[in-house]
Structure formats: C-alpha cells, structure tokens
Amino acid sequence: MGLDNLTDDGACVYACIGVLMLQHGLMALRMSMYRLAGSPGEGKPNSPLNRFSEQQLLHAEWAPVGAILGLALMHKGHLPPFYRDCLVGSFTLSRVCFSATPLLGLPHIVDIVSMTACYLSTIAMAALLIAY
Amino acid sequence: MGLGNLTDDGACVYACIGVLLLQYGLMALRMSMYRLAGSPGEGKPNSPLTRFSELQLLHAEWAPVGAILGLALLHQGKLPTFYRDCLVGSFALSRVAFTTAKLVKLPYIIGLVSMVTCYNTTIIMSALLIYYGVN
C-alpha cells in the first residue's frame, strides 16, 4: 500500500472539519461572553475585545471555505487521499496557528507562515477541484 | 428497527440544510431591498435596517457551519441517524428561532435559549466528527 492509498475513509478530512468548526463555536461563544459582559473596550484599538473580535471574524470567514473544499475533494474522489489529507490538514493547522499567534503573543513570523499556508492550501485545493 | 436507524437516507439533514440556506437567501434578499431603497436608517442604532443587518450577518456566519457539519456527519456515516438528525434539526430550529425572536421581539429568554442551543449543537457535532474521525 503506498501513501496514495492511506486513510481512504476520509477520517482526516472529517477530523479537520471538526477542529475548524469546534474552534468556530468556541470563539463565537467567547465573543458572546464579551457581549454579555457589556463589551468592555469596544471601539478602542488594541483592546482585548477588538483583537479577539478580529480573530473571530477572520476564522468565521475562512473555516467554512476549508471545510467545503475538503468535503468537495473527498466526494469527488479523484485526488489521492494522502495529498488531499495533507492539504486539508495544513489548512486546518494554519487556521489554528493563525488564531493562536496574536492571542498567545507568539512571534510575528508564525502569523505570516500560517497565513501564507492558508492561502496556498486554499488556492491549491480550489485549483485541484477545477483541474480534476 | 431502533431509533438509531430511522431516516437513513439523510432526508432530515438535507431538509435542514434547505431551511438554513433558504433563510440565508431570503434575509440577503431583504437586505438588498433595503440597499435598493437607499439604506434608510443606516448607521443609526436600533433602526430597522441596523437590527436586520446584524441578524442577517449572524445568520450568514452560522448557516454554513450547520450545513457543513450536517453534511460531514451524514457522509461520515458513523453517528446513529436519529442522533444526527436531532443535532442538525436542533441547530436549524435554533437559527430560525433566534432570528424570529429578534425580529418579532419575542421574550429575551427565547433568543438566549436558541443561542445556547446553537452553540451546544455546534460544539457537539464538531466533537463527534473529531471523535469518529480518530476512532
């Protein structure tokens, strides 16, 4: 069995979708907590609320894109599972890293690398969907 | 046949996705009507446009999440169908109830309960996808 035939049941894609959507739910829940607390620091640049709100909005924008591309590639079934899993996995990892970087105060380079990985995997998945 | 094997064709999931995306389309259409009418009340807090715009944005954020999770659970095929349909159904119902509660100004508790239901179903469906993905 070669790498091309690993994880043919889509387990990796489903787990990645789960991770993306779990992060979506948890970040939205945190925003609701801020709202229930009266939105302290709203409108002030660099307040914790503003920084978190921006991250939450970005994740809400990107998570469905990766999930839909992963599902579409899986059901189309033309791309070898190993490459498909790598693409969906790197998309998921990049979203988690991108959100974690400013929240945990990680170096800026992590931000740049994860953002680039997210763009590249999105473009690659979309192009492969068209090409196959 | 137990509850776990009811509606195995995914009819409930597809119907829920239809409801979520129909609401999405109708709300977006209503926003376009506001735009075509010159966006009366834009920027004013509590104007009908501002309130509707906020609700439309929230639905646009959440509807794809429920649809994707429902489809993923359906095609993963590991969760008993009854529980899967209950989760997707309660997600769809919670989005409809949340929007209705805010638009029709129903008691605050309805908005709160539907919001909590939406969060809970999202987190449970995601956790089940991960669990069945790695097991």
Side-chain angles (χ1 to χ4, degrees):
Chain A
M1 187 173 76
L3 279 177
D4 287 0
N5 297 316
L6 280 173
T7 64
D8 209 7
D9 59 348
C12 175
V13 175
Y14 292 124
C16 287
I17 294 173
V19 169
L20 287 169
M21 297 296 147
L22 185 65
Q23 190 184 339
H24 184 284
L26 292 175
M27 289 182 89
L29 185 65
R30 181 72 188 95
M31 270 309 292
S32 290
M33 295 293 150
Y34 271 125
R35 299 285 175 219
L36 286 173
S39 307
E42 190 169 27
K44 290 180 192 162
N46 280 326
S47 70
L49 170 62
N50 267 10
R51 284 194 296 129
F52 190 84
S53 169
E54 193 185 12
Q55 289 301 320
Q56 194 259 331
L57 202 69
L58 281 170
H59 187 75
E61 182 185 341
W62 279 98
V65 172
I68 289 167
L69 285 170
L71 274 180
L73 279 175
M74 190 169 68
H75 288 291
K76 202 167 183 193
H78 292 178
L79 187 67
F82 175 72
Y83 302 114
R84 178 198 69 203
D85 290 353
C86 281
L87 284 167
V88 182
S90 66
F91 182 96
T92 307
L93 193 64
S94 72
R95 291 317 311 164
V96 174
C97 286
F98 187 80
S99 300
T101 304
L103 295 177
L104 301 178
L106 297 177
H108 187 56
I109 187 72
V110 182
D111 221 6
I112 304 276
V113 169
S114 58
M115 197 176 71
T116 308
C118 178
Y119 284 133
L120 287 179
S121 49
T122 302
I123 292 167
M125 286 193 283
L128 285 166
L129 260 184
I130 298 168
Y132 280 108
Chain B
M1 186 175 76
L3 279 176
N5 296 317
L6 280 173
T7 63
D8 209 7
D9 57 350
C12 176
V13 174
Y14 291 124
C16 288
I17 293 173
V19 168
L20 284 168
L21 298 190
L22 180 68
Q23 189 185 339
Y24 185 110
L26 291 176
M27 291 183 84
L29 183 67
R30 182 72 188 93
M31 269 310 292
S32 292
M33 296 293 150
Y34 271 126
R35 298 291 174 214
L36 286 174
S39 306
E42 190 168 27
K44 290 181 192 162
N46 281 325
S47 71
L49 170 63
T50 307
R51 285 197 298 123
F52 191 84
S53 168
E54 193 185 14
L55 285 171
Q56 194 258 332
L57 203 68
L58 280 171
H59 189 73
E61 181 185 340
W62 281 98
V65 171
I68 290 166
L69 285 170
L71 270 182
L73 281 174
L74 177 74
H75 290 293
Q76 192 180 38
K78 291 187 177 172
L79 184 67
T81 51
F82 175 72
Y83 303 116
R84 181 198 69 206
D85 290 353
C86 281
L87 283 167
V88 182
S90 59
F91 182 96
L93 191 64
S94 73
R95 291 316 311 166
V96 174
F98 184 80
T99 308
T100 310
K102 298 290 178 189
L103 282 180
V104 188
K105 293 185 178 170
L106 295 177
Y108 181 70
I109 188 74
I110 298 179
L112 189 66
V113 169
S114 57
M115 195 176 73
V116 173
T117 307
C118 180
Y119 284 133
N120 282 338
T121 48
T122 302
I123 290 168
I124 292 170
M125 287 193 282
S126 309
L128 286 168
L129 265 181
I130 299 170
Y131 174 77
Y132 286 118
V134 297
N135 283 296

